[in-house]
Amino acid sequence: MRTTHLLRTRLWATVGLAGLAALLTAAPALAASTDDDTPRTDAGTSFRTATEIEQGHRATASASTGDYLYWSFPADAGQRPTVKATVKLPESAAHRPGTRWRVDVYDGLRRRQSCMYGMQSRPADAATVDLACTLRPVRAWSDTWSNDPLPGTYYIRLTATGLRTADLGAPVTAEVEANSKDIGGAAAVDGTLAKPLVPGASVDSDDPDDAADSGTRAALSTAEPEDGWASGWWTDRWIWTGAGGVLAALAGIGGYALTRGNGRAPSGA
């Protein structure tokens, strides 16, 4: 009985220590996850100071009409990014004739990308203005003369156009979010980039205005997809190509079996 009680005590002690260790291990990860899920509440005022965000995370910023707001996010080959923006205006800034809000998306070379669909520009005729822009699928490689989207950093620029002098400076709140749909092999091409287009530099300082005085340097964008950049050689095209080859072989065997005959010449020949 004493041996059984001792073994039971050791078992419960082991279980308790294992649970405590798991809790201590999970606590930093939970804290990191909480920090990563915290939405960004700022925006840059140029390409160099664009605020980096992750896909699927919403960012907010308080600004004034007349400001240019910039964010950046990574997009990989095979993705079709969609950018959504919402601008909340005070009553004094709403229903202004001639004023329009517009969202533009640029790639890592700062080339403006056209939208496949989505309301990219809307008049400021309500207290809330919703904008959207769905880009073409990102390609792993493209000709130098083409303007196709390529893997790398993408910039979101949100601003108002057609403003009158009296409309400048009105407080607004902006929300942006970038998501992507995985297109897969439908957007695959026979080629890859040596490196993603991430030349976008951001000032490595808490206060970009003090960068020159503090001696800090501009750093390359560090944003990348959660699973890293795609290697570029594997797509689901390989599956469809293999399946097509197998079906073609089966069709050839079946056709041969139907047309070969019994192998003997007719008796009257």
Side-chain angles (χ1 to χ4, degrees), residues 130-153:
D130 294 321
L131 306 170
C133 175
T134 299
L135 303 181
R136 294 169 294 165
V138 179
R139 295 160 58 92
W141 176 85
S142 180
D143 291 309
T144 55
W145 49 262
S146 177
N147 196 37
D148 292 327
L150 295 172
T153 300

Side-chain angles (χ1 to χ4, degrees), residues 1-12:
M1 292 294 293
R2 182 175 300 178
T3 303
T4 303
H5 180 71
L6 181 61
L7 291 176
R8 187 177 300 173
T9 302
R10 288 180 177 179
L11 177 62
W12 282 109

Side-chain angles (χ1 to χ4, degrees), residues 57-266:
H57 290 196
R58 178 172 298 181
T60 63
S62 298
S64 303
T65 54
D67 292 342
Y68 283 81
L69 306 179
Y70 288 83
W71 296 266
S72 65
F73 67 95
D76 206 356
Q79 295 182 342
R80 189 177 67 190
T82 296
V83 174
K84 296 182 179 180
T86 300
V87 182
K88 297 180 180 179
L89 309 172
E91 291 296 332
S92 58
H95 307 285
R96 292 291 189 179
T99 301
R100 300 183 68 90
W101 282 89
R102 181 182 179 88
V103 60
D104 293 295
V105 184
Y106 297 80
D107 66 5
L109 298 179
R110 301 183 185 179
R111 304 176 301 179
R112 191 176 71 84
Q113 294 295 319
S114 58
C115 303
M116 291 180 60
Y117 51 84
M119 192 62 69
Q120 187 178 4
S121 177
R122 282 182 181 271
D125 55 1
T128 301
V129 180
D130 294 321
L131 306 170
C133 175
T134 299
L135 303 181
R136 294 169 294 165
V138 179
R139 295 160 58 92
W141 176 85
S142 180
D143 291 309
T144 55
W145 49 262
S146 177
N147 196 37
D148 292 327
L150 295 172
T153 300
Y154 281 77
Y155 295 94
I156 305 171
R157 186 179 73 178
L158 180 65
T159 188
T161 61
L163 291 170
R164 299 179 302 178
T165 304
D167 299 333
L168 296 175
V172 297
T173 301
E175 297 180 0
V176 296
E177 184 177 2
N179 294 284
S180 289
K181 180 179 180 181
D182 190 6
I183 302 300
V189 293
D190 297 330
T192 58
L193 293 180
K195 293 182 179 180
L197 299 179
V198 288
S202 58
V203 177
D204 188 14
S205 173
D206 294 336
D207 188 356
D209 296 333
D210 296 338
D213 298 335
S214 60
T216 56
R217 298 181 302 173
L220 291 178
S221 173
T222 58
E224 65 177 28
E226 292 182 0
D227 300 330
W229 298 106
S231 60
W233 70 272
W234 168 258
T235 68
D236 53 10
R237 267 184 165 183
W238 289 97
I239 300 176
W240 293 108
T241 302
V246 172
L247 292 176
L250 293 177
I253 295 173
Y256 174 76
L258 293 174
T259 59
R260 69 173 182 170
N262 56 12
R264 296 181 179 180

